[in-house]
Amino acid sequence: QVQLVESGGGMVQAGGSLTLSCAASGSNFRITGMGWYRQAPGNQRERVATIESSGATFYAETVKGRFTISRDNANNTASLHMNNLTPEDTAVYYCNAAVVMNSRTYHREGQGTQITVSS
């Protein structure tokens, strides 16, 4: 079983920065896509940023130019550096990974971490 453990997050004032980290643990697996989704109260879950093992990235239009995703394939970790945060970024952020085990792909998600941006 592969588990994702998230760290980082918390509260920050508008214009501030935060970094989220996500680490996958387990055995006999590899990760293809990895990234973050977020969900604010009353809103649908939104894909924020993802990164493939090739390094190809996706960013939501709402975070382009402010967020940067990176990963360490050897250690199965990823980070999301968030700059110039706004109150609209307030949400629970979930690390998500596409995990390949025994030639099958499974999606795993972390426990979620709250980010609150005050104006």
Side-chain angles (χ1 to χ4, degrees), residues 8 14 16 22 27 55 59 61 63 67 77 88 94-95 100 114-115:
C22 181
S27 59
Y59 293 98
E61 286 296 324
V63 307
F67 290 13
T77 60
E88 288 69 36
Y94 298 90
C95 177
V100 179
Q114 176 72 46
I115 290 180

Side-chain angles (χ1 to χ4, degrees), residues 13-33:
Q13 289 189 329
S17 300
L18 286 172
T19 297
L20 296 178
S21 297
C22 181
S25 62
S27 59
N28 300 317
F29 72 97
R30 63 183 177 87
I31 294 176
T32 54

Side-chain angles (χ1 to χ4, degrees), residues 9 20 26-27 45 54 63 66-67 76 82 89 96 105 115 118:
L20 296 178
S27 59
R45 181 167 291 202
S54 64
V63 307
R66 300 187 298 122
F67 290 13
N76 294 309
M82 304 175 288
D89 295 314
N96 188 286
T105 300
I115 290 180
S118 60

Side-chain angles (χ1 to χ4, degrees), residues 13-89:
Q13 289 189 329
S17 300
L18 286 172
T19 297
L20 296 178
S21 297
C22 181
S25 62
S27 59
N28 300 317
F29 72 97
R30 63 183 177 87
I31 294 176
T32 54
M34 198 168 185
W36 275 266
Y37 290 69
R38 68 186 180 185
Q39 188 164 21
N43 289 2
Q44 288 189 332
R45 181 167 291 202
E46 175 188 24
R47 181 184 178 193
V48 177
T50 55
I51 184 168
E52 301 298 320
S53 55
S54 64
T57 57
F58 165 87
Y59 293 98
E61 286 296 324
T62 51
V63 307
K64 277 184 179 178
R66 300 187 298 122
F67 290 13
T68 302
I69 190 169
S70 60
R71 67 185 282 178
D72 180 342
N73 291 332
N75 292 306
N76 294 309
T77 60
S79 294
L80 183 67
H81 304 281
M82 304 175 288
N83 295 319
N84 195 22
L85 287 160
T86 72
E88 288 69 36
D89 295 314

